[in-house]
């Protein structure tokens, strides 16, 4: 079963020279949707059941969060992020692994772009979400996708450019800011999107319940 979180926020930064980085993510659990929100003749819809105390208990615990403790690199790019996931008031270690993280020049715009996705899994029962285990799968898999131009900022000068996010299928949207420090002398790079005069960033996020 696949679903998405429609209200999320976060920040990710990394330093290629120092091989360090950090990330923080916050997810509004009440924004979960699986495409089944019509009650019909049932006691409740599937989405309502997932938001109830049997699963995400969104009234008592409206936020799920992730904060990194370590970013691992493979060459110049991040390969994994170790951190702590807080869900239902319980904190447990979780690792997000980048299935893809690539940077290169767009053949049409001739501007540098980076994109990819990171995936992490955990057992919901470890966080106290034990309803219907094992009849309903115990493993929840999170997927985060991102894509955008590489924006270079040297010294006090900063440039902004448009990020085009292309989440696939059921994937939702997650605001994200990204920055990096190259080996060249500039202080930072970043992925930024400007819309209606406001600078913000977006990637896709999704969840799979039951493996």
């Amino acid at each position: 079963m696949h679903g998405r979180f429609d209200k999320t926020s976060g920040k990710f930064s990394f330093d290629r020279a120092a091989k360090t980085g950090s990330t923080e993510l916050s997810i509004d659990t009440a924004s979960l949707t699986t495409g089944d929100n019509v009650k019909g003749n049932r006691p409740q819809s599937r989405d309502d059941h997932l938001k109830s105390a049997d699963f995400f208990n969104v009234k008592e615990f409206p936020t799920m969060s992730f904060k990194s403790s370590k970013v691992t690199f493979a060459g110049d790019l991040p390969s994994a992020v170790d951190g702590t996931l807080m869900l239902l008031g319980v904190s447990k270690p979780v690792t997000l692994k980048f299935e893809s993280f690539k940077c290169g020049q767009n053949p049409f715009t001739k501007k540098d772009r980076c994109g990819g996705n990171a995936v992490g899994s955990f057992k919901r029962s470890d966080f106290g979400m034990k309803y219907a285990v094992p009849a309903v799968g115990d493993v929840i898999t999170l997927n985060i996708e991102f894509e955008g131009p590489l924006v270079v900022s040297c010294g006090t000068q900063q440039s902004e450019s448009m990020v085009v996010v292309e989440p696939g299928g059921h994937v939702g949207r997650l605001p994200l800011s990204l920055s990096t420090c190259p080996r060249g002398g500039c202080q930072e790079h970043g992925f930024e999107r400007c819309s209606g005069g406001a600078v913000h960033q977006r990637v896709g996020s999704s969840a799979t319940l039951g493996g």
Side-chain angles (χ1 to χ4, degrees), residues 48-121:
D48 287 338
H49 192 194
L50 288 173
K51 295 174 185 179
S52 74
D54 287 340
F55 290 97
F56 286 92
N57 195 4
V58 302
K59 289 185 178 180
E60 187 173 353
F61 302 99
T63 303
M64 174 170 58
S65 63
F66 176 84
K67 185 174 182 179
S68 66
S69 56
K70 178 183 177 182
V71 176
T72 302
F73 278 70
D76 285 339
L77 295 175
S79 59
V81 179
D82 296 324
T84 299
L85 179 71
M86 177 173 283
L87 174 63
L88 298 177
V90 179
S91 297
K92 296 285 185 179
V94 169
T95 298
L96 300 175
K97 295 184 178 180
F98 289 97
E99 291 186 331
S100 176
F101 197 123
K102 298 180 179 180
C103 297
Q105 188 180 81
N106 184 299
F108 302 104
T109 65
K110 305 303 180 182
K111 294 181 179 180
D112 291 334
R113 297 179 65 83
C114 292
N117 74 295
V119 175
S121 298

Side-chain angles (χ1 to χ4, degrees), residues 20-198:
T20 59
S22 64
T23 185
E24 293 185 16
L25 304 174
S26 180
I27 298 173
D28 181 346
T29 54
S31 69
L32 172 65
T33 177
T34 65
D36 182 347
N37 57 9
V38 178
K39 176 181 176 181
N41 295 323
R42 300 171 295 176
Q44 58 186 342
S45 69
R46 182 171 65 194
D47 286 359
D48 287 338
H49 192 194
L50 288 173
K51 295 174 185 179
S52 74
D54 287 340
F55 290 97
F56 286 92
N57 195 4
V58 302
K59 289 185 178 180
E60 187 173 353
F61 302 99
T63 303
M64 174 170 58
S65 63
F66 176 84
K67 185 174 182 179
S68 66
S69 56
K70 178 183 177 182
V71 176
T72 302
F73 278 70
D76 285 339
L77 295 175
S79 59
V81 179
D82 296 324
T84 299
L85 179 71
M86 177 173 283
L87 174 63
L88 298 177
V90 179
S91 297
K92 296 285 185 179
V94 169
T95 298
L96 300 175
K97 295 184 178 180
F98 289 97
E99 291 186 331
S100 176
F101 197 123
K102 298 180 179 180
C103 297
Q105 188 180 81
N106 184 299
F108 302 104
T109 65
K110 305 303 180 182
K111 294 181 179 180
D112 291 334
R113 297 179 65 83
C114 292
N117 74 295
V119 175
S121 298
F122 58 91
K123 289 185 177 181
R124 61 188 178 93
S125 60
D126 289 343
F127 295 83
M129 193 189 298
K130 300 179 179 180
Y131 179 84
V133 174
V136 175
D138 194 16
V139 177
I140 293 178
T141 300
L142 295 175
N143 180 57
I144 300 171
E145 297 181 354
F146 63 90
E147 179 182 348
L150 198 59
V151 181
V152 180
S153 174
C154 298
T156 59
Q157 311 230 345
Q158 181 164 341
S159 59
E160 298 174 357
S161 60
M162 182 71 71
V163 167
V164 178
V165 179
E166 302 170 354
H170 59 274
V171 177
R173 293 172 179 145
L174 171 65
L176 185 72
S177 62
L178 303 157
S179 63
T180 175
C181 184
R183 289 174 296 183
C186 293
Q187 295 302 310
E188 66 180 66
H189 288 238
F191 301 85
E192 297 191 345
R193 182 177 189 271
C194 300
S195 176

